[in-house]
Amino acid sequence: MANSVSQRDSFSGKYGFIAAAAGSAIGLGNIWKFPYITGVYGGSAFIIVYLICILLIGLPVMLSEISVGRRAQKGVFGAYKTLAPGTPWFFSGYMGIAAAFLILSFYGVVAGWTMEYVVKALAGSFTGKNPDQISAMFGDFIGQTARPIFWQVGFMALTCFIVIAGIKNGIEKYSKILMPVLLVILLMLCLRSVTLDGASKGFEFLFKPDFSKLSGEAILAAMGHAFFSLSLGMGTLVTYGSYLKKTESLAPLAGQITIADTVIALLAGIAIFPAVFAFGIEPAAGPGLVFVTLPNVFAQMPLGNIFCILFFSLLAIAALTSSISILEVVVAHLVEDFKVSRKTATLMMTLVITLFGIPSALSFGSLSDLSIFGLNFFDLADHIASNFLLPLGGLCISLFVGWKMARKDVADELSNSGAVKIAYLPVFLFLARIVAPIAIATVFLHGLKII
Ligand code: TRP
């Protein structure tokens, strides 16, 4: 036992952990979804609510996840088994693993689309096309059979390749390279966007508060998105926390990841909306915003094709550092609890999840008529995971830390056995015990259409 603990792979230190965890948090959620829902739900008023959710719910749940993982030195399933043996808490671990499975199955599909768009942009396919043609290109592409599957498989193979290499030499190494690249590309796009004539309308759209648009639904959407964007509720950060050394202080790390995720989401909004407005294009909803609207924007922009290549590469990179964190949740479970080798576990799970994602890849083409509870396969996987499993997983972890774990154990973990001061402990416990569970339960019940 002692031997297997000492052989456990780990992050090399603070920066490796931050790069990997921020890489997990920063993904399609930030660059595609955040700007779009911010627009729909009233711009800056929505952003204010989102920031409050991040602070009052996201941060305590994140700190809970990291502490549980590091204390147990196990992924999400093993963590509950270790810290609360003989109790049913481990069921929450199963939910996390199921959520990972579902999310990665459709996440890989959308990430595959971004790779197709990098190639399309490299080939100059958008140059000289009008908005209708560009919109038709998207519909035509996702409606096909072989191409979306080809890119989904390609993206999943990349994810598999990195996860097989392990924590230090895989996840950490690639996150440390890819995250700075992502930041540089995003800053370049921001610079380009804000210097366009007419950019100010985009800023108004994003940052001029319009509290009249702030419905109850907007508040719930802000909470739900805080979860997805910070990679919470599935055990990603339990798993990453388990690879963190006992000498790192946890609260500052959680704070830094949260800030990085939020800043990148805001930068993505700044990169996208001023350009959309400067070229007089209506901000379209859903997948269209990134895959239809932006190629239009780039087609009208000087040197637009270069920015188009950069943008979709950025999206693919952001998706990759997130998808590896999702796969790792499942792989860690097989490695720790079934003693399968990392390589076999990763290959097997990649294969199964990719196969399971194929109906999602076909949901806009040959399987578009297939409807389960009124949703296509793609939306169903997203729906079950995001509205059901993630909130429930988040609720469990905050209740676990707030009520099940002994206060002295929580204090011991957060203070590195007394080495660092944790004056924030009462505030944290109040958030984890009361505020976060009530708020999450509200989102959850809303997702089930009960309230
Ligand atoms: N946070 C990522 C994004 O914004 C997606 C993601 C990665 C995720 N790991 C997760 C979402 C765990 C929920 C749970 O795109």
Side-chain angles (χ1 to χ4, degrees):
M1 193 60 200
N3 197 25
S4 77
V5 168
S6 66
Q7 280 174 0
R8 189 176 167 78
D9 201 355
S10 69
F11 291 113
S12 64
K14 197 161 106 182
Y15 294 107
F17 176 77
I18 291 179
S24 168
I26 296 163
L28 297 171
N30 302 59
I31 298 167
W32 162 68
K33 199 168 176 203
F34 175 76
Y36 145 63
I37 56 174
T38 296
V40 171
Y41 290 117
S44 117
F46 174 84
I47 294 182
I48 293 165
V49 178
Y50 176 73
L51 294 179
I52 294 172
C53 291
I54 293 270
L55 206 66
L56 296 186
I57 309 165
L59 205 51
V61 172
M62 181 179 289
L63 195 51
S64 301
E65 287 207 10
I66 302 174
S67 328
V68 164
R70 191 177 68 168
R71 183 139 201 99
Q73 294 289 298
K74 289 275 165 58
V76 59
F77 179 85
Y80 282 117
K81 283 245 168 195
T82 307
L83 298 182
T87 66
W89 281 96
F90 68 89
F91 273 113
S92 168
Y94 279 131
M95 284 189 323
I97 289 157
F101 206 88
L102 285 171
I103 292 190
L104 190 52
S105 74
F106 71 84
Y107 205 85
V109 173
V110 181
W113 296 350
T114 71
M115 290 168 68
E116 161 84 8
Y117 268 57
V118 173
V119 172
K120 271 195 171 35
L122 279 170
S125 309
F126 303 114
T127 318
K129 296 278 195 319
N130 65 31
D132 287 344
Q133 287 168 319
I134 288 178
S135 167
M137 274 166 84
F138 181 61
D140 174 58
F141 164 61
I142 61 171
Q144 290 179 31
T145 298
R147 272 184 97 82
I149 294 178
F150 171 80
W151 286 114
Q152 179 212 1
V153 170
F155 179 83
M156 292 299 294
L158 277 177
T159 304
C160 176
F161 172 78
I162 296 178
V163 173
I164 282 186
I167 305 305
K168 223 184 266 97
N169 300 322
I171 293 177
E172 171 176 333
K173 184 171 123 193
Y174 288 93
S175 299
K176 273 183 167 164
I177 301 168
L178 294 174
M179 292 313 286
V181 174
L182 177 139
L183 188 63
V184 170
I185 298 179
L186 190 57
L187 288 174
M188 281 170 64
L189 287 164
C190 283
L191 206 63
R192 172 69 274 200
S193 188
V194 300
T195 50
L196 291 166
D197 282 344
S200 60
K201 268 199 249 142
F203 276 100
E204 265 180 38
F205 181 75
L206 266 179
F207 296 122
K208 195 173 152 209
D210 181 355
F211 285 98
S212 68
K213 281 195 193 166
L214 199 63
S215 57
E217 197 188 325
I219 297 171
L220 295 172
M223 269 198 277
H225 187 63
F227 257 82
F228 190 88
S229 190
L230 291 175
S231 297
L232 300 175
M234 174 198 284
T236 294
L237 290 167
V238 175
T239 310
Y240 275 16
S242 77
Y243 302 124
L244 189 56
K245 298 211 164 107
K246 288 281 186 187
T247 46
E248 307 297 343
S249 177
L250 301 184
L253 292 177
Q256 282 153 9
I257 298 159
T258 305
I259 290 170
D261 187 65
T262 309
V263 168
I264 295 286
L266 295 174
L267 285 176
I270 293 171
I272 290 170
F273 283 109
V276 165
F277 279 84
F279 289 100
I281 288 166
E282 272 302 301
L289 182 67
V290 162
F291 293 101
V292 178
T293 310
L294 283 185
N296 268 310
V297 169
F298 294 129
Q300 297 177 40
M301 196 190 265
L303 294 181
N305 203 43
I306 293 174
F307 286 101
C308 193
I309 296 166
L310 287 177
F311 179 81
F312 285 106
S313 308
L314 165 85
L315 212 53
I317 292 169
L320 187 60
T321 52
S322 297
S323 64
I324 54 181
S325 77
I326 307 176
L327 185 58
E328 179 61 29
V329 170
V330 187
V331 168
H333 174 49
L334 285 191
V335 171
E336 285 165 3
D337 303 305
F338 292 95
K339 308 284 172 255
V340 181
S341 77
R342 167 167 281 273
K343 191 170 174 186
T344 313
T346 312
L347 285 169
M348 251 166 53
M349 285 301 106
T350 305
L351 186 70
V352 176
I353 293 172
T354 307
L355 286 174
F356 190 74
I358 285 178
S360 287
L362 300 178
S363 285
F364 308 91
S366 46
L367 291 185
S368 60
D369 291 335
L370 183 79
S371 160
I372 310 162
F373 304 121
L375 297 168
N376 67 26
F377 205 87
F378 181 101
D379 291 330
L380 187 71
D382 183 12
H383 200 80
I384 294 176
S386 306
N387 295 346
F388 188 76
L389 296 172
L390 292 185
L392 219 52
L395 183 65
C396 286
I397 198 91
S398 63
L399 291 176
F400 188 79
V401 170
W403 299 97
K404 170 75 188 160
M405 274 174 83
R407 185 191 170 104
K408 72 169 180 21
D409 290 340
V410 177
D412 182 67
E413 195 56 42
L414 289 174
S415 67
N416 298 346
S417 305
V420 285
K421 285 214 169 57
I422 47 165
Y424 61 83
L425 185 67
V427 181
F428 167 65
L429 284 177
F430 175 67
L431 292 173
R433 283 186 170 161
I434 317 262
V435 178
I438 291 177
I440 297 164
T442 314
V443 185
F444 177 65
L445 295 175
H446 179 76
L448 286 179
K449 305 233 183 321
I450 291 172
I451 53 171

